[in-house]
Amino acid sequence: MKNFTKISDWLPAQKWLEIAKREAFEKAGRHDVPTHVEATNRDGKPIYVPALDEQGQPLRDADGTIRMVRKKVPVAPDLRDTRSRWWGAPGGGRLAGEVALEDLAQGSHSPAVPVLMGLVTVLSVLAAVSLVVGTSLAAGGHNTLGMLIGEVGMAVGLLGALACLAVLWHGVGKGGVLATTFWAGVVPFLGVALTMGTAVGSRIMGWGPAWGAQSLAISIAVAAACAVVFFLLVLLFTGKRDLTKSWALSAVKGFSLLAVSALISGVLLHNFLQPLLWAFIGAWYPYTWAKVQRRKRAYTLGYLSARFGGDDGRLGNSDEKERVKQAQAVEADKSGFIAYGTAIGVFTKYGDGYSPDKDLVVGQSPDDLMTHKHIIGKTGSGKSFNEMVQTACEWILNDAGGSLILDGKGPLPAEILAAYVGLPNVLLIVPGAKLALIEGLAPEEVTTAISDLAGAGTTKQEQSADAEKFFNSSAKTLSLAVNFVLRALVEIGKMSETEGNAREWEWTLEHIDIMKTLLKDNNDDAEAILNVIEANISQLPLDLGHGDSLDRQPLLRSALLYFPHKLWTMPSDTRGSVVSVLETWIDPLMSSPELRVWACTERGDDPTICLRGGHVGMSLPEFQYGEAGKLCQNFIRHRVMSGVRRRQKKNWRDDGQRPILFLIDEAQEMVGIEDRRFLAVARSHGGACVYATQNVEAYTSRMGEEAAKSFLDNFLSKAVLISSRGTYEMMMRSLPEGKYVTWEGKNNRVIGYEQTLAKLGNHVVFDDEHELAPEMRRLRRGGAGKILVPERQSMWAGGGDSYHDMDSPADAEKLATFLVHSGKMENRPLMTYNDVSTHLRKQTAVVELMRGGVPRRDFIEYPHLTPEDIAKRTARVKDALVANFMKNEIRELIKGEWKGEPPSKTQLHNMMLAFVSLLNTNPAVDQLEGEDLFTALAGVSPDRIAELDADRDQVNSALAKVWFKKEQSTQLAA
């Protein structure tokens, strides 16, 4: 019986409730965020699928061909924002005028409520008719039949009406049940019973023909007159018009209706029409109740819109077209995904349209990193572990390209690559490795690498004393001239080698240092060097790293003139100071016992493998190698940067080149003006730069404030962990100002939907696990827990805010929940110092990341990785390193057999997946070559390829097994 009294147990009320809530949340939801986008393949071309009818069968055109339509796919998981910003409604209307808080908390009243009210009337009329008919039959001598009809009809009618009222108790509460009992039950029962009794001439009561109707009319008229007098007294002495309108006026209207109905029934209507009038009054009540609910809802929404419609109908600063463009760009981006952490939801509560939902994954694709990212956090904040290591591992797992990993102070490269040394395309440079520092660098690039590190290429120099600027600039010019002279002598020596003569000069930093000493003043050796170059300049084809011949190099000719006409003409003390500045730049490396060997080596390991998909790191911690270690890293960095700059062809990937990740920690120790120039062009040449430092002051102290700001502006993505106040200010300036809500103040109020619902959800009367849960449910039926809306009192009541419940629950106001509202919605910075102090801690960061060309921003929380998690990631990266190497071999093999048009990215990708599929069924497929392999791969079904495409780790594991098997076979054979 307890469950029977709930509508949801015998009507689909729960379904109706869910529909009502869903419609409300759709109005309050993310109208600017697409759910599906048109699919594209790896070449950016659209994918078409057959159009289907309602039965799932393909649709055909008039000519019988199957109709094709663009395939739709869900947007990327990290873009699926569904959480409402509680801002504007669809079409730009005010949300406060479209959605009431009750719609979101419990939905609207069930459609079954007026049906049950009407059923009460039907059952009450049945009881009245049964009573009159049974009494009449008994008076006519049919005692048994009369009693049976009367008692059964009364029992069915009254008990049925009580059952309906018990069910309504859950829907409309005590006040609603009392009103329904009176209007839908008592009034039609008494009216029908009395009027029918007089019509059939009841003998039991002894009434005359019209006595019942007339006495009923007089009683009701007296009651109505009393109600009118009470209404006038309340209005006269209290002046509370709103109060009288809400309940006193309703009472007067109701009793007046009864009085008029009674008079009409008793005076004007025929006896047999009088019961119909009272039955009609009972049946009219459900319609009146529903109409009152609509009017009450209209008043509520109008009131909320007028008093708390601080929003202007727009969803924060979001742009629907931008979100659609972002979703489409992310779908077309097949480079993978790098997850950093999960959103905390700080900017969501302010209404920012570009922030992710709370707990939604936050990350970027490798292609997104082409817009460059900067990470700022002090030592111990988790900068390296959570950002740098994660980025490097995911870059490898996604087969995004090569990487160069450097650290201006610490051992980050070793932390990332040490576990993978010995795998193909992995090079970790540490003392003892064979390395030639300036191999592959042109003379001007060597000068830039040295001078940038020393600060001569930064704009800070422009703020220094004139004397310092002069000597720095002169030292850079001297270095450039020395480098060109040495490079010319090296090329002359190579020509001598072809004639069997030994070469005297090598392209090394050691020989640059020697050449600098020989040419620092006018002497016989210096003259001899310059004369040798002059004698050979016309016939010597000299490649200086840019493919130009000697006689097209004005810089070499300038260098030959620099020494006799500029350097040697300086006063001796000035010349000595210029040479001394250059020596200070080189000496740290030349005097390093561990690293000097690299300065003396002309040919060594090739760090430019990272340009072709390899992974290179240089681990030279500052506490061990000081400035010498940074200078070595700078040479390698400039060598790789030069390789990126030389990618002149638009289709540079066809030459085996791959995108490259520059991952540099403690970047302030190495960056200079060349970095700013490189960042501007790196994206178009496949360079993704991820730099890190401890605070922005590290750049301002090296470059100057304006230069540091200009440098950081090159990074469209930023992540800030625990750092300095200056860093937080930089991030605040980076994040956009907009129209955001702050939950404080009392001007221009905005409804706090989410805050109110959270407050309501924590109300004890909704706790079904409470030890007093039955009593709490009774309180809810009495109106407890409803939402009270602030209302301005009449001016003679003292002004200010009172709290008024729109549903007026009797005796429950003290248990109601007050609506949360705010006053401030203004243009202001998105992030404040309060946000920093509240949300920025270890394992968190505030980020603004470019995703598909559109920003995503919020405070994020990094995952807490256990040693087991780290070990699993290391194993996956090992497989991926080997698999990436194998993929390149497979692609090249397939390319050689392709007939006609060059293979597309999609075709090559599918062929590689087909190779993995064949490995599972025929392990000997790795022995096939040429056309046999090509034919075998072409026979793999598209369904199998699609299945593999969804499991990256499966592909990597299969390819790694092939490689390790071959390696073991080679070792055994040796």
Side-chain angles (χ1 to χ4, degrees):
M1 184 65 185
K2 175 181 176 182
N3 291 331
F4 177 78
T5 61
K6 296 181 180 179
I7 303 177
S8 58
D9 281 353
W10 55 283
L11 283 176
Q14 188 63 36
K15 178 181 177 181
W16 295 336
L17 176 63
E18 292 301 324
I19 293 174
K21 281 190 177 183
R22 184 170 63 250
E23 290 177 349
F25 275 97
E26 284 176 357
K27 286 185 178 180
R30 292 304 303 271
H31 327 299
D32 61 322
V33 179
T35 58
H36 289 76
V37 292
E38 294 177 338
T40 57
N41 62 19
R42 292 179 175 270
D43 298 283
K45 296 180 179 179
I47 299 175
Y48 290 91
V49 294
L52 304 177
D53 57 19
E54 295 180 355
Q55 287 74 37
Q57 299 299 316
L59 292 173
R60 296 181 180 274
D61 293 328
D63 59 357
T65 59
I66 296 177
R67 186 181 305 169
M68 304 298 288
V69 295
R70 288 287 300 271
K71 181 181 180 180
K72 293 268 190 174
V73 294
V75 299
D78 64 306
L79 299 182
R80 296 174 189 173
D81 299 331
T82 58
R83 194 181 184 91
S84 175
R85 298 306 189 257
W86 312 110
W87 208 253
R94 288 181 173 179
L95 185 59
E98 296 285 340
V99 180
L101 285 153
E102 289 81 2
D103 300 337
L104 304 172
Q106 61 198 33
S108 57
H109 283 290
S110 169
V113 170
V115 175
L116 289 174
M117 290 177 174
L119 189 59
V120 170
T121 299
V122 172
L123 292 170
S124 298
V125 170
L126 173 64
V129 171
S130 299
L131 175 64
V132 173
V133 171
T135 303
S136 300
L137 290 174
H142 303 284
N143 293 333
T144 303
L145 180 61
M147 291 180 61
L148 180 64
I149 292 175
E151 292 178 1
V152 172
M154 283 283 291
V156 171
L158 294 180
L159 291 177
L162 288 174
C164 292
L165 292 171
V167 176
L168 283 172
W169 185 279
H170 289 278
V172 297
K174 180 172 66 177
V177 167
L178 291 176
T180 303
T181 300
F182 179 76
W183 290 105
V186 175
V187 169
F189 177 81
L190 292 177
V192 170
L194 291 174
T195 54
M196 281 190 66
T198 58
V200 299
S202 172
R203 290 170 295 176
I204 300 275
M205 305 298 296
W207 297 333
W211 181 87
Q214 293 171 355
S215 62
L216 179 64
I218 295 171
S219 301
I220 293 176
V222 172
C226 293
V228 171
V229 172
F230 176 75
F231 170 76
L232 294 175
L233 289 174
V234 170
L235 182 64
L236 179 65
F237 288 103
T238 66
K240 293 186 177 181
R241 300 176 187 272
D242 291 341
L243 184 64
T244 57
K245 287 180 181 178
S246 64
W247 61 269
L249 184 59
S250 297
V252 170
K253 288 180 178 179
F255 281 107
S256 300
L257 173 66
L258 285 179
V260 171
S261 300
L263 290 173
I264 293 174
S265 174
V267 177
L268 300 179
L269 293 181
H270 189 275
N271 287 348
F272 288 100
L273 295 178
Q274 291 173 1
L276 295 179
L277 173 65
W278 295 105
F280 177 77
I281 291 175
W284 184 258
Y285 176 72
Y287 169 78
T288 305
W289 179 89
K291 189 173 181 180
V292 168
Q293 296 304 314
R294 288 179 59 83
R295 288 178 177 175
K296 186 183 294 184
R297 175 177 173 80
Y299 170 74
T300 301
L301 294 176
Y303 180 79
L304 293 176
S305 181
R307 295 281 288 119
F308 306 103
D311 64 272
D312 59 4
R314 294 178 298 173
L315 180 62
N317 58 346
S318 185
D319 185 330
E320 182 177 355
K321 292 181 180 178
E322 286 290 294
R323 291 305 300 262
V324 172
K325 182 181 79 172
Q326 178 186 44
Q328 193 66 58
V330 170
E331 151 58 20
D333 181 357
K334 307 301 182 181
S335 62
F337 183 70
I338 302 172
Y340 301 127
T342 54
I344 296 177
V346 177
F347 296 156
T348 296
K349 69 179 182 182
Y350 297 146
D352 179 53
Y354 294 102
S355 60
D357 287 353
K358 183 180 179 182
D359 297 328
L360 200 65
V361 64
V362 176
Q364 295 176 284
S365 74
D367 279 359
D368 290 328
L369 285 179
M370 296 296 172
T371 59
H372 312 316
K373 179 182 178 183
H374 208 295
I375 306 158
I376 308 178
K378 70 178 185 180
T379 301
S381 63
K383 171 175 83 296
S384 297
F385 180 77
N386 293 314
E387 282 280 355
M388 311 287 282
V389 175
Q390 174 70 359
T391 299
C393 291
E394 289 293 334
W395 181 273
I396 295 170
L397 287 168
N398 284 290
D399 190 20
S403 66
L404 176 65
I405 306 170
L406 304 173
D407 190 339
K409 287 187 176 181
L412 177 67
E415 292 177 3
I416 295 176
L417 294 181
Y420 314 118
V421 172
L423 298 180
N425 275 345
V426 175
L427 174 61
L428 179 60
I429 303 173
V430 295
K434 186 178 181 182
L435 180 67
L437 284 180
I438 65 173
E439 180 184 5
L441 287 175
E444 64 270 28
E445 293 167 342
V446 175
T447 297
T448 300
I450 298 172
S451 60
D452 261 12
L453 187 61
T458 67
T459 54
K460 183 186 175 186
Q461 177 200 5
E462 299 171 4
Q463 303 172 353
S464 61
D466 290 341
E468 183 179 350
K469 287 192 289 184
F470 169 78
F471 287 114
N472 279 340
S473 179
S474 297
K476 187 175 181 180
T477 304
L478 172 61
S479 174
L480 186 62
V482 169
N483 293 345
F484 270 98
V485 168
L486 176 61
R487 186 59 183 268
L489 290 174
V490 170
E491 296 302 321
I492 292 171
K494 288 180 179 178
M495 293 181 64
S496 295
E497 278 187 318
T498 60
E499 300 173 0
N501 299 318
R503 182 155 57 98
E504 181 179 0
W505 296 98
E506 294 182 342
W507 184 235
T508 65
L509 193 62
E510 178 189 39
H511 281 210
I512 288 176
D513 188 43
I514 295 172
M515 186 63 67
K516 172 260 303 176
T517 303
L518 290 175
L519 297 177
K520 70 179 179 179
D521 52 30
N522 190 358
N523 55 66
D524 293 341
D525 291 336
E527 290 283 357
I529 289 172
L530 299 182
N531 290 336
V532 168
I533 298 175
E534 286 286 357
N536 292 275
I537 194 170
S538 60
Q539 58 178 341
L540 179 64
L542 179 61
D543 183 1
L544 299 183
H546 298 286
D548 294 329
S549 62
L550 179 63
D551 57 359
R552 294 169 57 193
Q553 289 292 340
L555 288 177
L556 177 58
R557 296 187 178 276
S558 297
L560 295 177
L561 296 173
Y562 169 77
F563 294 100
H565 296 287
K566 193 164 185 179
L567 181 66
W568 296 342
T569 61
M570 292 180 183
S572 59
D573 56 342
T574 302
R575 184 169 65 251
S577 297
V578 171
V579 175
S580 178
V581 170
L582 180 55
E583 286 177 344
T584 60
W585 296 349
I586 302 175
D587 276 352
L589 179 57
M590 301 307 296
S591 60
S592 171
E594 299 96 341
L595 307 181
R596 180 184 170 90
V597 63
W598 292 343
C600 305
T601 304
E602 190 176 34
R603 301 287 182 194
D605 292 333
D606 184 9
T608 64
I609 61 170
C610 55
L611 295 170
R612 300 178 296 279
H615 303 278
V616 179
M618 200 168 190
S619 185
L620 302 171
E622 183 188 38
F623 70 90
Q624 285 182 272
Y625 304 104
E627 291 295 317
K630 288 186 282 188
L631 186 57
C632 289
Q633 294 189 75
N634 221 36
F635 279 125
I636 300 304
R637 186 167 65 97
H638 276 266
R639 182 174 173 183
V640 176
M641 288 166 61
S642 297
V644 173
R645 278 194 294 262
R646 291 170 192 162
R647 290 173 171 175
Q648 301 299 328
K649 292 197 306 183
K650 190 174 181 180
N651 56 343
W652 47 265
R653 296 173 190 259
D654 292 343
D655 296 332
Q657 299 277 304
R658 300 290 308 280
I660 178 171
L661 171 68
F662 290 86
L663 193 69
I664 304 177
D665 200 3
E666 301 296 345
Q668 78 282 353
E669 299 296 324
M670 285 184 270
V671 298
I673 195 170
E674 279 300 310
D675 287 86
R676 296 202 296 278
R677 294 170 180 166
F678 176 74
L679 288 167
V681 301
R683 180 181 186 183
S684 60
H685 294 82
C689 299
V690 178
Y691 287 12
T693 190
Q694 296 192 29
N695 49 63
V696 296
E697 291 83 354
Y699 289 127
T700 57
S701 63
R702 175 174 173 81
M703 302 180 181
E705 187 170 349
E706 288 303 316
K709 182 179 181 301
S710 176
F711 170 71
L712 289 171
D713 285 344
N714 286 289
F715 298 89
L716 299 189
S717 297
K718 295 180 177 69
V720 171
L721 295 84
I722 298 174
S723 188
S724 66
R725 185 179 184 88
T727 301
Y728 303 146
E729 291 176 351
M730 178 276 298
M731 194 63 177
M732 290 176 190
R733 290 192 301 269
S734 174
L735 295 172
E737 287 194 356
K739 189 174 282 189
Y740 303 117
V741 175
T742 53
W743 299 104
E744 54 190 31
K746 288 191 175 182
N747 301 317
N748 195 18
R749 303 184 194 190
V750 180
I751 297 176
Y753 285 95
E754 191 168 1
Q755 292 83 350
T756 303
L757 294 176
K759 188 176 180 181
L760 185 68
N762 291 327
H763 201 303
V764 67
V765 298
F766 296 103
D767 183 6
D768 288 335
E769 303 298 324
H770 197 279
E771 58 181 348
L772 299 176
E775 285 73 18
M776 294 297 178
R777 284 194 292 273
R778 291 191 184 93
L779 288 175
R780 290 206 305 271
R781 289 196 293 272
K786 291 188 176 181
I787 301 169
L788 300 185
V789 179
E791 180 181 69
R792 185 72 64 183
Q793 290 183 350
S794 57
M795 59 181 180
W796 52 80
D801 284 348
S802 66
Y803 284 88
H804 170 63
D805 182 2
M806 294 296 183
D807 290 332
S808 301
D811 301 325
E813 186 169 325
K814 292 181 180 179
L815 299 179
T817 297
F818 294 156
L819 174 147
V820 178
H821 66 281
S822 159
K824 280 202 174 182
M825 184 186 69
E826 58 185 357
N827 284 319
R828 65 172 185 84
L830 179 59
M831 186 177 79
T832 65
Y833 282 114
N834 182 58
D835 297 325
V836 173
S837 61
T838 304
H839 304 289
L840 199 58
R841 57 190 183 275
K842 195 168 183 180
Q843 288 298 111
T844 67
V846 56
V847 301
E848 183 178 40
L849 307 173
M850 293 304 292
R851 184 76 170 111
V854 178
R856 299 282 278 171
R857 47 190 176 240
D858 195 16
F859 284 80
I860 68 170
E861 183 172 10
Y862 296 112
H864 294 265
L865 299 180
T866 65
E868 291 76 13
D869 295 330
I870 297 172
K872 289 179 181 177
R873 182 176 66 181
T874 301
R876 291 171 58 225
V877 172
K878 282 184 176 180
D879 284 348
L881 282 167
V882 176
N884 297 343
F885 173 76
M886 291 287 294
K887 289 175 190 175
N888 290 334
E889 289 194 338
I890 296 170
R891 289 190 187 103
E892 292 302 316
L893 185 61
I894 295 171
K895 276 185 183 180
E897 294 299 324
W898 204 273
K899 310 299 182 183
E901 290 290 327
S904 67
K905 293 179 183 178
T906 303
Q907 289 169 328
L908 285 175
H909 179 76
N910 290 343
M911 283 287 190
M912 186 272 297
L913 293 177
F915 180 85
V916 176
S917 177
L918 287 177
L919 280 176
N920 296 330
T921 56
N922 181 15
V925 72
D926 63 302
Q927 305 297 324
L928 297 178
E929 292 184 0
E931 193 169 337
D932 292 336
L933 175 61
F934 189 84
T935 303
L937 297 180
V940 178
S941 69
D943 292 339
R944 182 58 178 156
I945 291 174
E947 178 185 341
L948 284 169
D949 202 9
D951 193 345
R952 179 181 64 187
D953 288 342
Q954 180 183 355
V955 172
N956 291 343
S957 177
L959 292 174
K961 288 178 181 177
V962 174
W963 184 82
F964 280 114
K965 181 177 69 174
K966 288 186 175 181
E967 285 295 298
Q968 291 172 354
S969 300
T970 303
Q971 292 173 2
L972 289 173

